[in-house]
Amino acid sequence: MVDFSLKGKIALVTGASYGIGFAIASAYAEAGATIVFNDIKPELVEKGLASYAELGIKAHGYVCDVTYEAQVQDIVARIEKEVGVIDILVNNAGIIKRIPMHEMKASEFRQVIDVDLNAPFIVSKAVIPSMIRKGGGKIINICSMMSELGRETVSAYAAAKGGLKMLTRNIASEYGEYNIQCNGIGPGYIATPQTAPLRERQPDGSRHPFDSFIVAKTPAARWGTTDDLKGPAVFLASSASDFVNGHILYVDGGILAYIGKQPK
Ligand code: NAP
Ligand code: GCO
């Protein structure tokens, strides 16, 4: 019997008060895991705890900015003391800044790289020693279509997510011998607060041009929902994927395979 259970496992999902991280953590709880999450703002951690409780999930929430190594090292030590050693890490926390590159400040570029690439390094580095001592673990990095494709105004984000694809492969290469599997999930265009500006109705009530564009570019002819990510995330966190390592699993409704629907 293939085992997708996460019973007895402790999962840390970063930036999981809402959005994709919240959906993945909820799916992990349903599969039997104990959920730990963090957010930058105390009020968002409280909001997240309440949202998990509404689903009957007793989550553990911590205030932590994943770009600060000292905070991350402290939180991981506290989690290990208060909850237990982390078996599954999902590097989900992320930001995007949509600015034409020639208008983007270097500080803005660095901020995106810091959250979307440096932080997965910092958090993975913090959890790997205990995973080695425990005999293994799972690290899942939330990549993106922009790990493979570019588009206007997202230079920093694409650079970060492209780097995150290779960081995923390097962690897989360096720690596979310790029974640590590191894989990525590459969501397509998912309806969350991060993409809300791309789906806003126009003043005349029509769909946002980008909204229509993505629907035409997706064989599934729809935006993804956070529910679409749950199954792939549980698979990569479970022993069912113990021989899957260094893989980016695109959950994109087929965007990467499709040239796009011919305009009428
Ligand atoms: P979201 O709705 O904007 O949520 C991002 C989460 O990350 C928020 O909880 C945010 O907390 C947290 N966060 C941001 N910076 C942080 C930091 N320095 N330390 C700790 N937490 C931090 O985004 P989402 O759509 O759920 O996306 C989640 C992940 O999926 C991101 O890595 C994103 O790049 C990726 N992704 C999204 C899509 C999509 O279409 N939505 C597609 C592909 C990949 P605050 O609210 O406090 O900032
Ligand atoms: C954008 C979107 C995308 C999605 C996602 C696609 O502005 O193009 O925000 O970047 O967030 O990363 O996979």
Side-chain angles (χ1 to χ4, degrees):
M1 167 79 163
V2 177
D3 188 4
F4 293 102
S5 169
L6 303 182
K7 196 166 169 50
K9 302 292 184 186
I10 294 170
L12 168 62
V13 184
T14 65
S17 302
Y18 57 88
I20 287 173
F22 179 82
I24 289 175
S26 305
Y28 285 3
E30 202 178 322
T34 296
I35 299 308
V36 185
F37 73 101
N38 75 295
D39 214 307
I40 312 173
K41 302 175 190 110
E43 60 273 22
L44 270 175
V45 171
E46 290 312 312
K47 172 180 177 287
L49 286 169
S51 303
Y52 286 112
E54 279 173 23
L55 299 177
I57 301 168
K58 190 189 172 312
H60 302 262
Y62 292 84
V63 178
C64 173
D65 182 332
V66 291
T67 62
Y68 289 93
E69 186 161 31
Q71 282 188 33
V72 169
Q73 295 278 353
D74 171 58
I75 284 295
V76 169
R78 280 184 56 201
I79 292 166
E80 290 185 1
K81 191 167 164 226
E82 297 166 5
V83 187
V85 170
I86 294 160
D87 301 290
I88 302 158
L89 166 65
V90 179
N91 285 306
N92 166 78
I95 62 171
I96 191 167
K97 289 183 182 300
R98 300 184 182 96
I99 304 167
M101 196 183 89
H102 66 286
E103 295 171 9
M104 191 174 223
K105 297 188 185 76
S107 59
E108 291 168 323
F109 189 95
R110 284 195 197 94
Q111 192 186 355
V112 175
I113 298 289
D114 217 13
V115 180
D116 295 3
L117 181 56
N118 294 343
F121 154 73
I122 288 170
V123 186
S124 301
K125 174 187 165 187
V127 305
I128 281 171
S130 293
M131 285 185 173
I132 292 174
R133 282 191 290 271
K134 191 167 188 178
K138 299 281 189 179
I139 297 175
I140 295 150
N141 293 321
I142 308 300
C143 297
S144 161
M145 293 290 92
M146 275 59 213
S147 297
E148 301 294 341
L149 303 170
R151 83 173 186 88
E152 301 79 7
T153 76
V154 296
S155 59
Y157 185 83
K161 293 298 187 179
L164 186 56
K165 173 174 74 171
M166 283 315 302
L167 178 64
T168 300
R169 290 178 174 163
N170 213 78
I171 292 171
S173 305
E174 194 162 1
Y175 296 99
E177 68 179 283
Y178 302 103
N179 188 33
I180 294 171
Q181 291 84 49
C182 183
N183 293 288
I185 287 176
Y189 280 82
I190 312 294
T192 71
Q194 191 244 51
T195 54
L198 306 174
R199 290 176 282 109
E200 267 167 13
R201 284 281 169 183
Q202 301 301 282
D204 64 2
S206 62
R207 294 177 79 152
H208 191 297
F210 196 86
D211 178 355
S212 306
F213 168 67
I214 288 302
V215 171
K217 278 285 286 178
T218 309
R222 66 171 174 90
W223 283 71
T225 69
T226 56
D227 284 347
D228 290 319
L229 298 167
K230 290 180 173 179
V234 169
F235 165 65
L236 289 178
S238 73
S239 61
S241 61
D242 281 356
F243 205 54
V244 178
N245 203 15
H247 183 72
I248 311 298
L249 177 54
Y250 286 99
V251 186
D252 66 353
I255 289 184
L256 282 177
Y258 185 39
I259 194 169
K261 190 171 289 306
Q262 180 183 345
K264 287 189 176 71

